[in-house]
Amino acid sequence: MIDGFIAIYIFMLAAFTGYEVISRVPVILHTPLMSGSNFVHGIVLVGAMYALFHASSTLEQVIGFIGVVLAAGNAVGGYVVTERMLEMFKSSGQKKPAGGHHS
Amino acid sequence: MNLLTPEIARWIVDAAYILVAFLFISGLKKMSSPVSARGGIVWAGFGMIIATLVTFIAPFSEHALPTQLATNFGLVIIAIVVGGSLAWWSGRRVAMTDMPQMIALYNGMGGGAAAAIAAVELYAGNAHGVVFSTLAVVGALIGAVSFSGSGIAFAKLQGLIKRSFRFRGQQVFNLALLVSVAIIGIALISGFHATPAAVTAFFAVALVLGITMTVPIGGADMPVVISLYNALTGLAVAFEGLVLQNPAMIIAGTVVGSAGTLLTQLMAKAMNRSLGNVLFAGFGESSSAASGPVTGSQKPIEASDAGVMMAFGQKVIIVPGYGLAVAQAQHKVWELAQLLQSRGVTVKFAIHPVAGRMPGHMNVLLAEAGVPYDLIADLEEINAEFETADVALIIGANDVVNPVSRTDKGSPIYGMPILNADKANNVIVIKRGQGQGFSGIENGLFYLDNTRMLYGDAQGAVNQLIQAVKSVG
């Protein structure tokens, strides 16, 4: 259990952390980073699971079920597309992936 | 069950969430450099797996187990499999050009999930006290708006909705919706009318508000809106995390909320738009396509001549725009660049922040073709270099190289930082025809004395250039 003020402390420190972590990101990574942060809020899955575990009526179960489906979609989809994008970033020193085949 | 006492279960969950928070934050940190970015998403991925697994233990940390736990366990597993596999399937096969709308879609799902959590809490009457019910209601509003708004953003970018719907008094209408959702929300918080019907009405109005807020916004501004909804979803998750007293949700949601807000500001700035302008005014409404003081004529060039010009140059800077991606010509351009490199020509790619459909999108598309990221320079890095370039090759880009933005105060793109391609010794523009950019503005660059137009679609024209360079021998 988190006491009220402790929660506010966490909230404030996390807000600064998010701002600082991103502040020096180069433009070339904006799209993957947006996708990556989109993945991170997929943590909503944890809350949706909690809500469905505690559902006691059919209505709550239905809404909770939809919530978990959506949250799982957010987490898994966010991961897959971010990973696909970042996988492609290579520097000149690294082995080049398939693409520009020619002599 | 003897081993897993509520105390031990609680301890495992709490300890795991600390690890999860660490993995998320350091993952995001790694994602802010191209060298370590790939590792960053993997770290965050591990965090998500740990968080999910440990949450299955969480119900046992309570002294009284939830009443329908066995059934709900099954439902949770089915829901994760259904949602996860659909997202996996769609995420694997989406084309890189369609990435922005896919991010919008997944983001909307997160917002919807946050709203669903709030809905369960509100229908069940679990959110006790003014503080908790306020957090639940505000989180629900933000989540629901993000859900339906992101859905519209997806539909627009996917081409399912082709026009921007605007009508007289639209902003008054939206304001009325906002006021009514606030009134219902306050009624729910005060517990005065916290009936299931009121909860339903609250969500209905919130969902409609997300739709009516997003439909008038033009496709070009959509990336900023998606980024905003991304930040909002993070905030909604944090609020629901406060309601559920779940530190992992509070930390991850807040970090995304603030990081997303910063990212939204950066994007809006790169597009020379303020956030308020994006949300409350359609593009080009204030000044309708002012015809700038453009004189002269467009001078065509043959691919063979252009090829010779580049093959014997010292430095070539390629400026790719979205037209390149639409024509799927990234691979061909990289082939051309490699061909020039093998002749000793220095080749660089200059990317404007808004090239592609959102900032950084063009980098992804070039990376897909195998272009190393150290050959790709952004606006501040490259602008001084155009003066020393023999050729600036513009492919499918228009507004981002339009010098009118420096001089014409009446132009909608006045003040937008541009790539100084006009400063290069020679400019070659590959373009379909004599049309205008998305903003409908004449491009002064096309009429300069040192500019030559190579008409054709990007794929075909670049192919001709490759042949031309090859035949130079």
Side-chain angles (χ1 to χ4, degrees), chain A residues 55-95:
Chain A
S56 52
S57 71
T58 311
L59 177 66
E60 289 164 37
Q61 281 174 326
V62 170
I63 299 171
F65 186 83
I66 294 170
V68 176
V69 169
L70 291 174
N74 180 186
V76 174
Y79 182 85
V80 171
V81 296
T82 311
E83 208 257 0
R84 271 184 65 196
M85 282 191 270
L86 291 176
E87 198 180 34
M88 297 182 314
F89 283 90
K90 303 272 195 304
S91 78
S92 295
Q94 287 164 282
K95 199 174 166 293

Side-chain angles (χ1 to χ4, degrees), chain A residues 1 15 31 41 61 83-84 90, chain B residues 38 72 91 245 258 359 373:
Chain A
M1 282 289 155
T31 292
H41 68 53
Q61 281 174 326
E83 208 257 0
R84 271 184 65 196
K90 303 272 195 304
Chain B
R38 172 82 210 290
N72 291 346
Q245 308 222 317
S258 72
Y373 60 76

